[in-house]
Amino acid sequence: MPAIIHCDVAIVGGGLAGGLIALALRKKRPELDIRIVEGGAELGGNHLWSFFASDVAVADRWLVAPLISYGWTRYDVVFPGHARTLKAGYYSIESDRLDQMVRAALPAQAVMTGRKALGASARAVVLADGDRIEAGGVIDCRGPSDLSRLELGWQKFLGRELALAEPHPLKRPLVMDATVPQADGYRFVYALPFAATRLFVEDTYYSDTPEIDADALRGRIDAWLAARRIEAEAVTREETGVLPVAMGGDFEEYWRSGGNRLAKAGMRAALFHPVTGYSLPDAVRLARAIADASDLSGPALHELTYGFARRQWQRRGFYRMLAAMLFRAAEPEERYRVLERFYRLDAGLIARFYASQSSLLDRARMLVGKPPVPVGRAVRAIRGTM
């Protein structure tokens, strides 16, 4: 017979955004009865999330610090005409670690994995097995809503974690290697040295389409390894992903497409950097804001999350303009020039860009001078975002 489960807060979707909200609530509001509902067998799925130290405010680092699997103090970028090492903290979180930490923090009954949600409202969740959750408030973190409401390009990738026959030569993360042949848009290889004989390598594209040719990307990773005489003994994990890069769109329509008057977080709330597609900084900020809220009822959670997401969208018009310049003003094989020029700028400016905290001076410096794309196309791209 179907059961009715009562709780204070139900989190639908056990990815990064949902996991961070659960951890923040458990830390700040341990008296609450929380449920986190995930259709998969594990929380977090099969992912690796990386971020810069400056992406997360000092006051919020308590939330992410226990999740970090790897960390470095510098990272490299390499382009055809420019190479640079930047001094900045850089960290990675493995989805397995997120799963472990959420399960350790919450009572066993709070983690409802293998339970698919068919629908959600401000105060209720209907599960595929017929059970129903009735909560004081519900937060939907199930991934993107109707992306057709937004004007998008795509950052798509295939990454492989490798066990190596011999130690690799990398001393620190290689965040962008754009010396590789350009294909399907701006292409670069991303590599993280987990240990002397453990390496994560990802082939990434800023592409006009979201489709991934997995075999082609695997072959290009093999070619990159062979060119550096790195021999892989085994592939221990593989992941693929497609992140939206936002050039414009209707935020209000996008929000409603995910459920009217329903609190949302993560990609479902359009909380991602318009140029990079990364969602971790916003996920941390919103999780902390939810944990600090005095009213966690369904209507109050909707107002909190809607207001937070709407403010971020309004503040990020500049980044959507940059995304439009990248996709509309540059030929696909020439897009690397935009990033090559960007990485010649001040290290602080670069850090603030990734954290979505660019100052007015930063914005002026990114646009001043001769653009690395045709001027006419750049002007048309900018006008298209207004």
Side-chain angles (χ1 to χ4, degrees):
M1 183 174 179
I4 297 178
I5 302 164
H6 296 275
C7 65
D8 295 310
V9 178
I11 302 163
V12 188
L16 179 66
L20 288 171
I21 292 169
L23 289 170
L25 284 172
R26 186 63 176 171
K27 179 73 173 180
K28 293 287 189 91
R29 304 286 298 277
E31 76 282 3
L32 294 178
D33 185 357
I34 302 166
R35 294 291 189 277
I36 181 166
V37 183
E38 167 58 38
E42 308 291 338
L43 300 174
N46 173 33
H47 293 292
L48 181 76
W49 299 284
S50 296
F51 64 100
F52 298 99
S54 53
D55 290 344
V56 178
V58 174
D60 296 337
R61 290 181 184 171
W62 59 269
L63 181 54
V64 294
L67 303 175
I68 292 170
S69 303
Y70 308 99
W72 303 268
T73 59
R74 288 172 171 79
Y75 71 94
D76 293 330
V77 294
V78 184
F79 295 89
H82 178 62
R84 185 177 184 185
T85 299
L86 289 96
K87 185 178 180 180
Y90 193 68
Y91 304 101
S92 292
I93 295 172
E94 295 173 306
S95 52
D96 286 350
R97 179 71 175 170
L98 177 68
D99 180 80
Q100 293 166 9
M101 296 305 294
V102 174
R103 290 181 188 276
L106 270 60
Q109 73 273 13
V111 181
M112 301 175 62
T113 49
R115 307 291 297 275
K116 184 178 180 180
L118 292 182
S121 64
R123 295 182 185 272
V125 183
V126 178
L127 303 178
D129 59 10
D131 287 354
R132 177 184 176 90
I133 300 173
E134 294 187 354
V138 174
I139 307 167
D140 196 343
C141 311
R142 285 179 292 175
S145 297
D146 183 1
L147 290 173
S148 69
R149 306 291 183 174
L150 306 178
E151 298 171 32
L152 301 173
W154 307 94
Q155 185 190 160
K156 60 192 185 187
F157 56 86
L158 183 145
R160 308 187 99 182
E161 187 173 336
L162 306 168
L164 308 179
E166 301 289 341
H168 59 74
L170 273 66
K171 297 180 180 179
R172 51 193 160 261
L174 180 57
V175 169
M176 286 186 182
D177 178 1
T179 63
V180 296
Q182 296 298 291
D184 193 16
Y186 169 48
R187 176 193 172 211
F188 62 93
V189 170
Y190 169 76
L192 299 177
F194 289 162
T197 56
R198 287 183 62 227
L199 188 65
F200 180 78
V201 182
E202 183 178 280
D203 210 38
T204 304
Y205 301 76
Y206 274 77
S207 172
D208 296 324
T209 67
E211 290 77 26
I212 293 176
D213 184 341
D215 287 338
L217 270 61
R218 293 181 189 115
R220 289 167 185 166
I221 289 174
D222 289 343
W224 186 87
L225 293 168
R228 287 149 187 81
R229 298 182 179 180
I230 300 173
E231 182 181 349
E233 283 190 331
V235 177
T236 59
R237 190 181 68 85
E238 180 178 281
E239 67 171 292
T240 60
V242 180
L243 302 177
V245 177
M247 296 176 278
D250 189 327
F251 169 81
E252 299 295 339
E253 285 296 319
Y254 180 79
W255 182 272
R256 284 192 289 270
S257 74
N260 197 28
R261 309 300 298 176
L262 171 62
K264 306 175 191 71
M267 288 286 181
R268 205 166 190 85
L271 286 171
F272 57 89
H273 193 298
V275 180
T276 67
Y278 295 158
S279 59
L280 185 144
D282 281 336
V284 172
R285 294 167 191 149
L286 182 57
R288 185 253 302 152
I290 290 170
D292 287 342
S294 58
D295 186 351
L296 296 175
S297 66
L301 282 170
H302 172 265
E303 292 306 310
L304 188 160
T305 59
Y306 167 74
F308 182 94
R310 186 170 183 269
R311 287 191 297 275
Q312 300 311 311
W313 182 268
Q314 291 174 332
R315 291 169 179 166
R316 291 174 179 172
F318 174 77
Y319 299 107
R320 293 193 294 275
M321 178 192 72
L322 293 181
M325 289 181 65
L326 178 65
F327 278 88
R328 295 172 178 164
E331 293 292 344
E333 67 275 8
E334 296 294 319
R335 288 173 184 165
Y336 78 90
R337 297 183 186 277
V338 177
L339 279 299
E340 184 176 69
R341 178 181 181 273
F342 171 74
Y343 264 105
R344 293 180 184 273
L345 299 174
D346 176 74
L349 178 153
I350 293 169
R352 289 187 292 275
F353 167 84
Y354 280 115
S356 302
Q357 302 289 339
S358 300
S359 67
L360 290 175
L361 180 58
D362 290 340
R363 298 178 186 202
R365 292 178 66 189
M366 278 187 260
L367 296 176
V368 74
K370 185 178 184 298
V373 295
V375 174
R377 285 188 179 183
V379 171
R380 289 192 293 274
I382 292 172
R383 286 175 178 169
T385 65
M386 295 179 177

